[in-house]
């Protein structure tokens, strides 16, 4: 399936290659570079590029292209999904997946890639199994390894691969048994010029951090499971029980994992927790434009809107922006024309605003389109859909675990057209 | 001199490379492990950067047998990378792997096979072949999985091995391990995708295993099964291809076989076809986008049109994923939305474009929105398009204009609106927008030219400002085509073109010649000279295309003696009314490729693409998929002390139909198809509890086999034994004894066969007789319980139950209602002062277990009590079964929480078999603990008694004094649970449990340990 993998950085250099079958010359990437040159933005490189003898399927993450070389028919999503798993694994192992991190850990990277694919077919992609095989590097371990000559490769063989619950290690032991669940919801919305909602939907995930001894069998139930319109599960979740009772029943993987992602039925009205008042104008023949922006909270059930960040791609004709922020700081990059305003927390008594003027290229005509405003924010202790976990029970083990559930709402792709 | 300096430079580089590698070689040859490891790490670094490290081969290969695991793994990496180039040296390492192939540890065997098969050296093909064959029969499924992978590697190395490899594939396809399934199907797809016949017998098993296979394997299996189904089942799509989109709701609610709407010949879906659809549907909830997509394409290609709707939500969900995933999913939705708008229309807003989307995502979304447009939603879509037209991303704005054009032609109501909107865009400042508008307007005008001379005039005015060649050419063509409607403007445009002809692009020149010709024919008075001028310019143009065209046009329009008959028809040729172009989606014909494939994405056939065949007109024989299965359970006698203590509680077998006569029988026995057994029970059961209940289940099974395959000798024998048994009450004991003897004998012979029946729920682990896995041949006989505890548990207290009290008890009998159920006896007592009526179990259960309810009790007099039995499938977990106990007036929620020991059925086996089975359940499947025993429990009798009281196990005879063995199987999945107690001294010992069900294994271990410590 996957023949070879090339890692290409943003300046177009191949900095790592790995082959699972016969070696494919790196010149195959020339087709990729051509496509890269044609693309105006890095994201515009097509994910699938046919060449005379191969097909190149790539993903772009952290400004690195992961280019897989394919020789024959394979579902493209199969490859794409796998490549993203590779990136996730690197991120999991090295904290961040940058060119430097990969170069520094090239041996671990190679060992991981070797375990993840056999003859181009995915073999071990579960993080629990991989961590049994290859221990993630830590500063301490690196030091110890240098002194004692011991290795990162697990001495134990990956028993998890043989088990009926391949996602869980065996013989897990903790002194503090704890299970934390984060319900994180994101609002995707497009708001039009007049402030009315064009489309808004809520996507949520439940991320878990479970550190429990032995083989616990957990069930998690919701007060209002009907809210969940469409769900996708970690493989540990027993689908039949969900279908019958709307209860999540599972033997959890050890450590961090995404238990569930869901979509809240689009029929439900989505509460939009912020509003934006804006007045962005350009006048024909004038080299000045006005910029006014005010943010305010609404429908937040008394919770504070925090970590607000506003960004906007201003039209090409804008030379500079001379603005005044009532709170927080703003930056304008005259090269990329990107305006960002780090607002922080919204105080309902004193609404944050950003006002001032923009200077335009002399003689340039008025831009056609007003810029789109992209807003990011967080609201703690609230799931905007109203989803509530009812209870979490544990079976199969005798001890009493410590349980915790946290809610958070964030902006997903939240855009305001002006 | 510069040349020599380059030389010097090069040799210096070469030296440094050599030098560095020399360095590494020394490190590799040192005795220090850490130095070797360091060297290997640096070498891997070289390989990763694509540098050549092949000359170190001899030094590296020496370390192939290193004890250090990391070093060894890195050597493997190196070996696999360079073995192809250094074939002779690579052979040195082979013996190491051959040795490792015999290692007792399955993981070492697997890893050896993995590396051995990755070494691409043709000379070792025979060795690989041998290793693969051996590994394919390995007891460890993990090794078998590796063997499946190795098949493909060997095939790509030497395609001549195909026939032999197919044999191995055939064998591995029969494997019932979920670990192997994905990999062997992958090998099948690579080596012999045309051998559909190999799939028949494994089809149902693959469908049933699918949910438990790892996610990558699921994708491969689903894609293979899609192709399979298209060759084996008849089309579920109606002939006329029209369907009512609104009816989908009603349809996919039910998983049962459906009839199409009444037709001359109603369509009935093959149950196997339905099985595939039903078993793949849950995978739409997978977190793996590739799995979701593969299920979606399966539904698209195989499901009745009304059911395809189930995939939409999941596909739309994938749009939240990474941009690459979006790209592929949107492409597939684009193809689907052409044929079935209806299923995506409710999700229209999910396809709205965001300014941050990459251009290719934007255009795909646009494509889908255009496909979804209809009379009802067009105004919303056009409003959205207006925003897009203003986008800073001009390529996208241009695509939007084309989309508007398509909407305008498809929906005649809005044609005028769209056209006016596009005309406004002609004064846009951006050239690409204007150009695209011109092109689209041209196409639109062609569809209805009569009313639009104003627009043509307007475009002619704009002509001077438009520089994009395609747009200029389009305007020229329009003016030429409708020159009679704009008789004043057309010659003027031609005049202007004559001036700039030489500097125009080819495409514009061609249209200029075209315009000149048309004007010459319609208005030669004004344009004769101009035309000649232009034709002269064209005659000497640099492009031969234009020269040719000019020459042709001249001959056509200017009649002279040389021009033939053609010029007579010049007017009819040039000014013929032309059909309007169709504005179509670029995804129109993409559905010729299977969705989700690479070929679909690139819109051309990729190497190795396997065509999806058309539905067969007549269904091929469906019996090819029938599988012979071994009957899983057989009954044997109880032979130990436990026999006396069996069921003292009077059993009220509901099948006797005391409360509801005969009517309910069908329902009870519909699964096993048995009638006879029910009648028989009525005669014998109440007096002889133990034997009746045992015979009830055995006759149950016997009639199963009887009803099906009468050819086998065995079933004939059971027939006779059955008639023996039913001959009379007094003979019964004798007959039983005789039967037991027979059964014992038979058990040693071949196992009885049973035809796999379609209407049965497929078992989770079909015990295929041909399974090469020896495990299924070993006798696994369910025996009567050795000991039945008397204790009963409270289910409902009389106070909470308003007078109704209920207690439950595990009789430890095989459940007659279903072989996955645990039988439970309820004793219901009426402690109130009035008669209770209609006592039953409520329809709703909240915990998801499959419960077989007892038939409702019509009346229970005050003070009376009654015992009923029910069956619960606990699914091999100790999770409580919650249900409602109802009377006529009230409902009470109750729950039964089994202890782990009740989830078993005792199994008898010989010591030899026990050891064999235990050998297969090592490693992960083994749990053990040291135990300390209370002094009371150390005697032979007491220990056994203690053990069997905790769990429903059978005692395995043993030759050793201090060793005790017990065997059972889990009720639901039928997995073996083997318990052994090895006494080291009088009060302590080691307790070991071997089972695949590790969770219940460890729970059992805990319970036994506690029990033995207590007096």
């Amino acid at each position: 399936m996957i023949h070879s993998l090339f890692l290409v950085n943003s300046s177009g250099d191949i900095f790592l290659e790995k082959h699972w079958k016969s070696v494919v010359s790196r010149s195959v990437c020339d087709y990729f570079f051509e496509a890269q040159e044609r693309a105006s933005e890095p994201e515009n490189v097509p994910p699938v590029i046919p060449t005379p003898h191969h097909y190149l399927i790539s993903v772009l993450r952290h400004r690195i292209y992961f280019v897989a070389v394919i020789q024959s028919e394979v579902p493209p999503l199969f490859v794409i999904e796998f490549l993203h798993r590779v990136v996730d694994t690197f991120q999991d192992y090295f904290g961040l997946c940058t060119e430097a991190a990969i170069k520094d850990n090239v041996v671990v990277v190679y060992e991981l890639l070797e375990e993840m694919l056999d003859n181009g077919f995915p073999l071990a992609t579960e993080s629990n199994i991989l961590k049994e095989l290859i221990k993630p590097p830590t500063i301490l371990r690196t030091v110890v390894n240098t002194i004692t000559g011991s290795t990162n490769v697990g001495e134990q063989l990956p028993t998890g691969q043989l088990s009926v619950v391949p996602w869980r290690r065996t013989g897990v032991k903790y002194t503090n048994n704890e299970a934390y669940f984060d319900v994180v919801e994101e609002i995707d919305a497009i708001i039009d010029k007049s402030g009315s909602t064009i489309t808004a939907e809520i996507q949520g995930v439940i991320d878990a951090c479970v550190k429990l001894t032995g083989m616990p069998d957990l069930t998690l139930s919701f007060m209002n499971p009907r809210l969940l319109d469409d769900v996708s599960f970690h493989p540990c979740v027993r689908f039949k029980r969900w279908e019958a009772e709307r209860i999540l029943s599972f033997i959890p993987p050890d450590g961090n994992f995404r238990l569930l992602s869901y979509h809240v039925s689009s029929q439900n009205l989505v509460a939009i927790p912020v509003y934006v008042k804006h007045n962005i104008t350009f006048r024909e023949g004038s080299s000045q434009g006005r910029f006014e922006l005010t943010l305010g909270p609404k429908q937040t059930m008394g919770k504070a809107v925090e970590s607000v960040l506003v960004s906007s791609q201003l039209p090409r004709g804008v030379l500079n922006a001379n603005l005044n922020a009532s709170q927080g700081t703003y930056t304008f990059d005259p090269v990329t024309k990107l305006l960002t305003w780090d607002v922080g927390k919204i105080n309902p008594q004193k609404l944050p605003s950003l006002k001032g003027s923009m200077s335009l290229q002399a003689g340039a005509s008025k831009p056609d389109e007003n810029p789109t405003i992209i807003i990011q924010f967080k609201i703690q202790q609230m799931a905007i859909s109203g989803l509530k976990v009812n209870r979490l029970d544990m079976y199969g083990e005798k001890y009493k675990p410590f349980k915790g559930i946290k809610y958070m709402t964030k902006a997903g792709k939240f855009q305001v057209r002006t | 001199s510069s040349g020599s300096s380059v030389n010097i430079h090069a040799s210096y580089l070469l030296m440094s490379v050599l030098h560095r590698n020399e360095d590494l070689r020394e490190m590799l040859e040192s005795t220090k492990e850490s130095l070797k490891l360091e060297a290997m790490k640096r070498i891997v670094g070289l390989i990763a950067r694509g540098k050549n490290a092949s000359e170190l081969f001899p030094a590296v290969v020496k370390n192939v047998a290193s004890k250090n695991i990391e070093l060894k793994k890195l050597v493997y990496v190196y070996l696999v990378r360079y073995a192809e180039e250094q074939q002779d040296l690579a052979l040195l390492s082979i013996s190491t792997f051959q040795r490792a192939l015999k290692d007792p540890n399955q993981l070492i065997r697997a890893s050896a096979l993995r590396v051995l098969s990755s070494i691409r050296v043709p000379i070792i093909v025979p060795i690989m072949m041998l290793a693969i064959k051996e590994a394919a029969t390995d007891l460890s499924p993990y090794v078998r999985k590796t063997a499946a992978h190795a098949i493909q590697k060997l095939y790509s190395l030497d395609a001549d091995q195909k026939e032999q490899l197919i044999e191995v594939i055939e064998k591995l396809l029969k494997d019932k391990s979920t670990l192997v399934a994905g990999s062997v199907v992958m090998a099948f797809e690579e080596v012999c995708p045309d051998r559909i016949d190999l799939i028949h017998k494994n089809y149902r098993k693959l469908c049933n295993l699918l949910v438990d296979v790892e996610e990558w394997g699921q994708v491969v299996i689903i894609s293979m099964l899609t192709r399979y189904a298209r060759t084996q089942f008849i089309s579920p799509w109606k002939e006329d291809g029209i369907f009512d989109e609104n009816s989908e709701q009603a349809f996919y609610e039910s998983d049962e076989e459906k009839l199409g709407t009444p037709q001359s010949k109603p369509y009935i879906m093959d149950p196997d076809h339905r099985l595939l659809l039903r078993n793949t549907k849950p995978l739409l909830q997978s977190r793996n986008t590739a799995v979701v997509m593969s299920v979606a394409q399966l539904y698209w290609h195989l499901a009745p049109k009304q059911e395809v709707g189930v995939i939409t939500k999941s596909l739309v969900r994938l749009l939240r994923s990474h941009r690459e995933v979006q790209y592929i999913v949107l492409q597939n939705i684009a193809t689907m939305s052409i044929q079935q708008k209806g299923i995506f229309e409710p999700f229209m807003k999910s396809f709205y474009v965001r300014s941050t989307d990459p251009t290719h995502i934007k255009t795909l979304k646009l494509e889908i929105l255009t496909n979804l447009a209809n009379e009802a939603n067009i105004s919303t879509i056009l409003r959205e398009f207006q925003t897009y037209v203003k986008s800073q991303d001009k390529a996208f704005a241009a695509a939007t204009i084309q989309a508007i054009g398509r909407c305008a032609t498809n929906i005649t109501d809005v044609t005028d609106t769209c056209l006016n909107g596009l005309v406004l865009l002609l004064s846009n400042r951006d050239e690409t927008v204007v150009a695209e508008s011109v092109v689209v307007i041209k196409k639109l005008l062609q569809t209805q030219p009569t009313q639009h001379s104003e627009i043509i005039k307007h475009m002619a005015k704009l002509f001077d400002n438009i520089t994009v060649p395609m747009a200029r050419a389009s305007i020229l063509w329009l003016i030429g085509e409708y020159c009679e409607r704009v008789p004043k403007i057309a010659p003027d445009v031609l005049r202007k073109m004559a001036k700039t002809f030489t500097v125009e692009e080819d495409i514009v020149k061609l249209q200029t010649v075209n315009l000149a010709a048309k004007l010459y024919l319609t208005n030669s008075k004004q344009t004769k000279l101009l035309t000649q001028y232009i034709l002269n310019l064209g005659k000497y143009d640099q492009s031969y295309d234009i020269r040719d065209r000019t020459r042709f046009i001249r001959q056509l329009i200017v009649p002279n003696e040389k021009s033939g008959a053609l010029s007579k028809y010049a007017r009819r040729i040039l000014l013929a009314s032309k059909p309007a172009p169709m504005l179509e989606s670029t995804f129109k014909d993409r559905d010729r490729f299977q969705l989700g494939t690479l070929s679909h994405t690139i819109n051309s056939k990729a190497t190795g693409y396997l065509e999806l065949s058309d539905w067969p007109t007549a269904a091929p024989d469906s019996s090819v998929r029938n599988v012979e299965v071994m009957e899983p359970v057989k009954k044997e006698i109880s032979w130990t002390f436990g026999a006396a203590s069996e069921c003292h509680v009077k059993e009220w077998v509901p099948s006797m139909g005391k409360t509801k006569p005969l009517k309910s029988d069908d329902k009870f026995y519909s699964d096993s198809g048995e009638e006879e057994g029910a009648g028989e029970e009525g005669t014998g059961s109440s007096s002889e509890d133990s034997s009746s209940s045992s015979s009830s289940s055995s006759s149950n099974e016997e009639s199963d086999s009887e009803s099906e395959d009468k050819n086998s000798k065995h079933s004939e024998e059971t027939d006779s034994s059955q008639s023996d048994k039913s001959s009379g009450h007094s003979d019964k004991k004798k007959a039983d004894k005789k039967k037991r003897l027979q059964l014992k004998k038979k058990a040693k012979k071949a196992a009885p066969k049973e035809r796999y029946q379609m209407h049965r729920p497929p078992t989770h682990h079909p015990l295929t007789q041909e399974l090469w896995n020896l495990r299924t041949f070993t006798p696994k006989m369910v025996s009567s319980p050795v000991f039945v505890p008397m204790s009963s548990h409270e289910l409902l207290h009389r106070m909470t139950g308003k007078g109704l009290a209920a207690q439950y008890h595990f009789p430890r009998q095989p459940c007659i209602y279903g072989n996955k159920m645990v039988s439970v006896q309820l004793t219901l007592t009426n402690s109130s002062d009035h008669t209770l009526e209609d006592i039953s179990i409520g329809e709703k259960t909240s915990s998801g277990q499959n419960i077989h309810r007892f038939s409702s009790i019509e009346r229970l007099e005050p003070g009376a009590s009654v015992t009923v039995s029910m069956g619960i499938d606990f699914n091999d977990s100790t999770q409580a079964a919650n249900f409602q106990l109802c009377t006529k007036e009230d409902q009470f929620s109750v729950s039964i929480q089994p202890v782990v020991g009740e989830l078993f059925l005792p199994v008898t086996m010989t010591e030899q078999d026990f050891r064999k089975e235990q050998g297969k359940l090592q490693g992960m499947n083994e749990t053990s603990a040291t135990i300390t025993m209370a002094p009371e429990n150390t005697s032979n009798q007491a220990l056994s008694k203690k053990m069997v009281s905790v769990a429903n196990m059978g005692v395995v005879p043993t030759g050793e004094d201090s060793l005790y063995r017990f065997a059972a199987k889990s009720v639901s999945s039928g997995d073996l649970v083997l318990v052994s107690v090895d006494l080291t001294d009088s009060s302590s010992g080691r307790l070991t449990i071997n089972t695949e069900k590790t969770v219940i294994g460890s729970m059992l271990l805990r319970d036994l340990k506690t029990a033995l410590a207590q007096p």
Side-chain angles (χ1 to χ4, degrees), chain B residues 217-360:
Chain B
Q218 285 172 345
V219 178
V220 176
I221 297 176
I222 292 171
S223 142
M224 186 276 286
L225 289 177
T226 310
R227 275 194 308 117
Y228 177 87
R230 282 288 281 259
T231 63
Q232 299 299 317
F233 307 127
I234 52 166
S235 168
W237 304 330
K238 276 176 238 160
E239 295 301 307
D240 49 14
I242 302 165
F243 55 92
D244 184 4
E245 288 184 345
N246 299 326
S247 68
E248 64 185 58
Q249 201 64 31
F251 263 97
Y252 65 68
E253 292 296 78
S254 157
D255 275 334
E256 296 308 307
E257 288 96 313
K258 283 285 173 192
L259 304 174
T261 47
Q263 275 182 334
S264 54
K265 191 181 151 205
Y267 164 75
I268 297 170
M269 186 181 275
D270 187 310
D272 285 331
H273 189 169
R274 176 53 67 193
L275 177 74
L276 178 59
L277 292 175
R278 188 167 41 217
N279 286 5
T280 47
K281 194 174 152 197
L283 296 178
L284 284 171
Q285 256 64 49
S286 172
R287 64 167 172 174
N288 186 316
T289 59
V291 175
V292 178
M293 188 66 230
S294 67
V295 178
Q297 67 83 23
L298 181 132
Y299 263 74
W300 181 258
H301 291 293
L302 298 180
K305 298 279 188 201
Q306 307 87 335
E307 291 175 42
V308 174
V310 297
I311 65 176
T312 5
K313 263 187 202 170
S314 306
L315 286 179
V316 172
R317 183 186 71 229
L318 299 189
L319 298 181
R320 278 279 295 175
S321 193
H322 301 284
R323 79 174 173 112
E324 297 87 3
V325 175
Q326 288 181 34
Y327 175 72
I328 304 291
V329 174
L330 287 170
Q331 276 191 327
N332 284 288
I333 293 179
T335 303
M336 292 183 192
S337 60
I338 291 173
Q339 283 185 31
Q340 277 188 291
K341 293 181 186 207
I343 59 172
F344 290 103
E345 214 198 308
F347 299 92
M348 196 175 79
K349 288 189 172 176
S350 303
F351 304 108
Y352 280 8
V353 172
R354 291 162 196 282
S355 60
T356 43
D357 288 332
T359 307
H360 55 254

Side-chain angles (χ1 to χ4, degrees), chain B residues 839-860:
Chain B
I839 304 170
S840 64
I841 293 178
E843 285 305 312
K844 271 195 282 179
T845 60
S846 54
S847 47
Q849 285 98 340
N850 190 4
I851 294 181
H852 190 284
R853 298 168 178 80
F854 58 85
S855 49
S856 131
I857 298 161
E858 280 175 356
R859 288 174 72 82
L860 192 60

Side-chain angles (χ1 to χ4, degrees), chain A residues 1 15-17 20-23 26 43-45 47-48 50 55 57-61 71-78 80-82 84-85 106-107 110-111 114-115 117-119 121-123 125-126 133 151-155 157-159 161-164 170 186 188-190 198-199 201 203 217 219 229-235 239 241 245 249 251 284 313-316 365-366 368-369 372 374 395-396 398 413 415 417, chain B residues 34 37 41 44-45 47-50 68-70 73-74 77 81 84 105-108 114 118 120 142 145 149 152-153 179 182-183 186 190 214-217 219-220 282 285-290 293 313-314 317-320 322-329 349-350 352-356 358-360 384 387-388 390-392 394 428-429 596-599 601-602 605-609 846-848 879 924 996 998-999 1003 1006:
Chain A
M1 294 204 136
F15 66 94
L16 187 122
E17 62 180 76
W20 283 272
K21 303 183 184 186
S22 301
V23 178
R26 51 165 70 193
E43 286 84 21
N44 285 351
V45 178
V48 181
Y55 306 94
I57 301 185
S58 63
V59 306
L60 173 66
R61 295 267 302 264
Q71 248 181 347
S72 62
E73 177 61 53
V74 61
L77 268 189
F78 186 99
I80 288 168
E81 175 81 25
F82 176 79
H84 282 297
R85 285 292 168 86
V106 71
V107 175
Y110 239 67
E111 284 167 347
E114 187 71 23
E115 293 299 338
L117 281 181
D118 181 16
N119 196 37
F121 190 79
L123 194 63
T125 48
E126 280 297 333
L133 288 165
T151 69
N152 276 332
V153 173
E155 294 290 324
L157 295 154
T159 47
Q161 254 166 326
L162 312 171
S163 128
V164 281
T170 47
E186 292 192 355
D188 287 358
I190 303 176
I198 294 178
T199 156
E201 44 191 53
Q203 315 275 350
D217 198 330
T219 59
D229 186 36
D230 179 55
V231 282
S232 78
F233 301 115
H234 189 275
F239 183 70
R241 279 204 78 186
E245 304 165 60
S249 157
I251 296 175
E284 196 69 63
Q313 182 73 53
L314 297 186
R316 243 165 265 145
S365 51
K366 170 179 172 268
D368 297 325
E369 190 196 31
T372 307
I374 297 160
Y395 303 93
K398 285 237 166 84
K413 295 173 181 165
Q415 304 194 342
R417 292 176 181 164
Chain B
S34 58
L37 190 58
K41 284 185 173 173
V44 166
I47 297 176
R49 273 179 282 141
N68 181 317
I69 294 186
E70 184 168 26
K73 281 196 173 171
L74 295 178
V77 169
R81 171 68 179 78
E84 219 170 357
N105 186 322
Q106 48 178 344
L107 293 151
I108 293 179
R114 215 184 128 187
S118 301
R120 288 170 296 274
Y142 186 62
K145 181 191 179 74
H149 285 214
Q152 305 165 53
K153 301 183 206 169
L179 219 50
S183 304
M186 188 64 226
E190 202 105 313
E214 39 82 41
E215 41 198 358
W216 309 107
V219 178
V220 176
Q285 256 64 49
S286 172
R287 64 167 172 174
N288 186 316
T289 59
M293 188 66 230
K313 263 187 202 170
S314 306
R317 183 186 71 229
L318 299 189
L319 298 181
R320 278 279 295 175
H322 301 284
R323 79 174 173 112
E324 297 87 3
V325 175
Q326 288 181 34
Y327 175 72
I328 304 291
V329 174
K349 288 189 172 176
S350 303
Y352 280 8
V353 172
R354 291 162 196 282
S355 60
T356 43
T359 307
H360 55 254
E384 188 66 17
T387 322
Y388 302 165
K390 284 187 266 168
S391 168
Q392 292 179 30
K394 291 307 165 198
N428 194 291
R429 227 171 288 114
T597 59
L598 179 61
S599 304
T601 292
I602 58 175
K605 213 181 214 176
T607 326
Y609 174 73
S846 54
S847 47
Q879 238 149 317
M924 252 301 282
E996 262 177 27
T998 44
V999 179
M1003 278 160 44
R1006 201 181 47 205

Side-chain angles (χ1 to χ4, degrees), chain B residues 355-406:
Chain B
S355 60
T356 43
D357 288 332
T359 307
H360 55 254
I361 300 287
K362 285 181 186 162
T363 36
L364 281 169
K365 283 185 171 174
L366 198 61
E367 177 72 39
I368 294 167
L369 285 174
T370 315
N371 289 342
L372 294 183
N374 58 24
E375 277 85 0
N377 61 23
I378 184 68
S379 57
T380 326
I381 289 184
L382 282 180
R383 205 174 319 130
E384 188 66 17
F385 281 179
Q386 277 170 22
T387 322
Y388 302 165
V389 168
K390 284 187 266 168
S391 168
Q392 292 179 30
D393 182 344
K394 291 307 165 198
F396 171 58
T400 308
I401 293 166
Q402 287 196 1
I404 294 173
R406 263 178 62 202

Side-chain angles (χ1 to χ4, degrees), chain A residues 7 18 20 48 92 102 111 135 179 202 213 218-219 297 309 335 346 358 396 398 403:
Chain A
L7 267 54
K18 170 97 180 92
W20 283 272
V48 181
D92 196 19
I102 292 174
E111 284 167 347
K135 291 180 198 128
I202 300 171
T213 307
L218 303 179
T219 59
L309 187 75
V335 179
I346 296 182
M358 297 173 284
K398 285 237 166 84
K403 302 177 273 195

Side-chain angles (χ1 to χ4, degrees), chain B residues 768-781:
Chain B
T768 314
Q769 200 199 13
E770 298 105 305
L771 264 188
W772 52 278
N773 190 339
L774 285 170
R775 187 171 144 178
T776 50
F777 285 120
T778 52
K780 243 164 77 177
M781 318 276 277

